[in-house]
Amino acid sequence: MRLRLIAFAAAATLMTGAPALAQSHDHGSAAPAGHGHAHADFQSGRFHVRVDGPENPIGDVILIPGLSSSPHVWDGLTETLKGRYRVHRIHVQGFAGAEPKDNASGPILDAVAQDLARYIAEQGLNKPAVIGHSMGGTFGMMLAARHPDSVGRLMVVDMIPFTGAMFATPGVNPTVEAVTPAVDAMHARSMALSDEGYAAQVAASVTGMIKTESLRAGPLRDAATSDRSVSANAYRELMLTDLRAELPRITAPVQVLYVAFEFPGMTPEITDTIYRMSFMTLPSAQLKRINDSAHFIMLDQPERFTAEVNAFLD
């Protein structure tokens, strides 16, 4: 079906051939003096958590960045929220300079989602809001579907529940089994690249994901300091994760922000159709397209993004 072929080819702009989707350490601005945040007292080999906010917050917000990403992608939003909310920024081990620890081998996604649920329980958080960008959105969907009592509301930023569908053969139902050979071939090609070839691929990917040229340097640094094996394996696992059948288990309100795919033959209306199809199993999800932005909405459209988050939280 032509529409599906265009849709999933366009979906590749979410995750290009590069296994690392880098995100900014500083978004082009100087880091704040001193440490600037506290680390949560939580033991996990999957991630660590930066916490900002008042002693008596009106609520808790968990921010999950994407593949090969730094929590600094949320710096601007954190500054806006931390006067009212306690903000918990996740830093996945192996990404953006963090030691790989337990993510050095084996599956990653479900283990991170399980530890997110454990973090919420052990910290005594009462149904926090969860906002996840890209792969962080996948973590958020997994958490909300598999631990529905843990999440108060969920915002997914530019992510669909089965990105591997873009590898589907024309006329074949996009299942994990059907796309595995193509995903594995992609993974093998990526792992075979030289360090120089890999760096070039990541640079090309980042350039297409951030319209604001001045904010690309930070994402490139994050990619360079991410563990290549962790990023590649997590990317493969993401492509082979289909959450569509799990979405009906989500009981929290869900909002999905996304951008129009920039791909030959695409229109914003086709992108809208892609997202409606992708979230058909969760008809209560509120879908909203953000114009004039690439994948990193919080960088390309910070004022619009902050306004959407505030409305979402209120």
Side-chain angles (χ1 to χ4, degrees), residues 94-120:
F95 294 167
E99 182 184 354
K101 294 188 177 181
D102 291 353
N103 293 334
S105 62
I108 295 172
L109 271 66
D110 180 65
V112 170
Q114 295 292 345
D115 266 11
L116 284 168
R118 183 168 64 87
Y119 176 77
I120 291 170

Side-chain angles (χ1 to χ4, degrees), residues 23-198:
Q23 300 177 357
S24 176
H25 250 301
D26 57 17
H27 309 314
S29 61
H35 201 49
H37 58 262
H39 284 271
D41 183 12
F42 178 71
Q43 300 301 314
S44 171
R46 300 296 180 176
F47 60 80
H48 59 277
V49 187
R50 304 176 179 195
V51 183
D52 297 90
E55 293 185 6
N56 298 301
I58 63 173
D60 291 277
V61 181
I62 295 176
L63 304 177
I64 314 173
L67 188 63
S68 298
S69 166
S70 164
H72 287 291
V73 72
W74 303 115
D75 280 355
L77 182 62
T78 299
E79 285 300 311
T80 300
L81 298 180
K82 70 180 185 180
R84 299 171 293 150
Y85 294 91
R86 186 165 47 206
V87 181
H88 310 254
R89 286 183 287 170
I90 305 300
H91 192 160
V92 176
Q93 301 301 140
F95 294 167
E99 182 184 354
K101 294 188 177 181
D102 291 353
N103 293 334
S105 62
I108 295 172
L109 271 66
D110 180 65
V112 170
Q114 295 292 345
D115 266 11
L116 284 168
R118 183 168 64 87
Y119 176 77
I120 291 170
E122 291 186 6
Q123 298 296 309
L125 308 186
N126 182 24
K127 290 188 175 295
V130 176
I131 302 174
H133 173 243
S134 195
M135 179 185 269
T138 299
F139 287 134
M141 286 185 277
M142 295 176 83
L143 172 66
R146 299 174 186 180
H147 305 273
D149 293 336
S150 296
V151 178
R153 58 187 59 236
L154 171 66
M155 176 179 279
V156 176
V157 183
D158 214 39
M159 177 52 63
I160 54 179
F162 182 31
T163 52
M166 65 181 164
F167 289 96
T169 301
V172 176
N173 182 40
T175 64
V176 170
E177 292 75 19
V179 306
T180 295
V183 171
D184 282 346
M186 175 275 299
H187 181 262
R189 288 193 300 271
S190 178
M191 295 303 292
L193 287 172
S194 66
D195 289 342
E196 292 78 11
Y198 172 83

Side-chain angles (χ1 to χ4, degrees), residues 113-280:
Q114 295 292 345
D115 266 11
L116 284 168
R118 183 168 64 87
Y119 176 77
I120 291 170
E122 291 186 6
Q123 298 296 309
L125 308 186
N126 182 24
K127 290 188 175 295
V130 176
I131 302 174
H133 173 243
S134 195
M135 179 185 269
T138 299
F139 287 134
M141 286 185 277
M142 295 176 83
L143 172 66
R146 299 174 186 180
H147 305 273
D149 293 336
S150 296
V151 178
R153 58 187 59 236
L154 171 66
M155 176 179 279
V156 176
V157 183
D158 214 39
M159 177 52 63
I160 54 179
F162 182 31
T163 52
M166 65 181 164
F167 289 96
T169 301
V172 176
N173 182 40
T175 64
V176 170
E177 292 75 19
V179 306
T180 295
V183 171
D184 282 346
M186 175 275 299
H187 181 262
R189 288 193 300 271
S190 178
M191 295 303 292
L193 287 172
S194 66
D195 289 342
E196 292 78 11
Y198 172 83
Q201 191 177 59
V202 169
S205 178
V206 170
T207 298
M209 289 188 289
I210 304 172
K211 286 182 178 290
T212 311
E213 186 175 355
S214 62
L215 301 183
R216 293 174 183 160
L220 288 171
R221 288 195 297 274
D222 279 347
T225 57
S226 289
D227 184 277
R228 180 174 173 178
S229 178
V230 173
S231 292
N233 291 338
Y235 179 77
R236 176 188 177 277
E237 188 180 350
L238 177 66
M239 294 295 101
L240 299 179
T241 297
D242 183 0
L243 297 177
R244 291 173 297 178
E246 296 189 50
L247 294 184
R249 303 177 192 168
I250 297 176
T251 58
V254 176
Q255 182 166 27
V256 182
L257 302 182
Y258 62 93
V259 301
F261 295 123
E262 295 186 355
F263 190 83
M266 290 294 295
T267 67
E269 292 72 25
I270 292 177
T271 302
D272 296 341
T273 300
I274 295 168
Y275 270 83
R276 285 197 301 268
M277 292 170 59
S278 296
F279 284 91
M280 281 179 61

